[in-house]
Structures are given as structure tokens and as C-alpha cells.
Amino acid sequence: FALPGRAVDVGREGAGRLLGHQLAQIGVLEGMMKHPLDKDLDTHRDAIAPYLEREIAERYFHRKGEVQSVLRHDVAIDSAVTLLKDPVRYKSLLAPKK
């Protein structure tokens, strides 16, 4: 039998010693240790997507694509763009304090 990540050789004599309930327990433990990796992408999509996008952009568009991808998800850039679109607030920040 095999555990995830390692093979266990019990030999002929050892195999005879393992009782059916022990093998069943091992099967249960193997099942408990398995993680549903196929659902991780859906569960953590918002956290994973920017990293995947950056890697893909870097591989296909080199440094320019990587920078564009990083800037697209940068909170500071988003705040700056929002401020620049609001001329009243922008001018109030630049005006000297009285």
C-alpha cells in the first residue's frame, strides 16, 4: 500500500500481519489527507487571478506586460486615478491651508 508522498513496503510477512481493519483505517486516513485541489481555483479565484495574469503577461509580453498587469491591480494607482477624475477634490488638496 502507499501513503500520499511515500511508498511503504511491508514485505510478505508484514502484509500478512496487517489486519483488514488496519487497512481500512489507512484508507480512511488517506481520504482525510486528500484535499480537493480542483475546487481551490474557484474558491480562491480573486486572490490567485492577479498572480496568474502577471505571470502570463510577463511570459508573453515580457517586462512591459508585467508592469501593465501590476498597475492594473494597484490600489494606489486606482486611488490616484479617482482623485484626478475629481477636479474639486484635487484642487482642494493642492490649495494652501488657511
Side-chain angles (χ1 to χ4, degrees):
F1 69 93
L3 295 174
R6 72 170 67 143
V8 177
D9 183 16
V10 294
R12 288 184 182 193
E13 291 179 23
R17 291 185 201 144
L18 286 177
L19 301 174
H21 71 277
Q22 290 171 319
L23 290 174
Q25 287 176 342
I26 291 171
V28 169
L29 289 173
E30 285 177 332
M32 290 171 62
M33 292 188 323
K34 288 183 182 175
H35 181 74
L37 297 176
D38 57 332
K39 297 184 189 250
D40 276 354
L41 184 58
D42 291 330
T43 303
H44 304 289
R45 181 175 299 280
D46 293 339
I48 296 171
Y51 295 105
L52 290 176
E53 181 180 327
R54 178 180 175 181
E55 286 295 319
I56 292 168
E58 183 180 358
R59 288 177 192 236
Y60 287 102
F61 304 108
H62 306 290
R63 186 71 182 159
K64 180 181 176 183
E66 178 188 6
V67 170
Q68 288 175 341
S69 173
V70 169
L71 292 178
R72 192 173 308 126
H73 298 286
D74 191 315
V75 176
I77 298 293
D78 291 341
S79 297
V81 169
T82 301
L83 176 63
L84 291 172
K85 288 182 177 180
D86 185 353
V88 173
R89 184 163 180 246
Y90 179 73
K91 287 180 184 178
S92 72
L93 290 173
L94 293 179
K97 294 185 179 183
K98 296 181 181 180

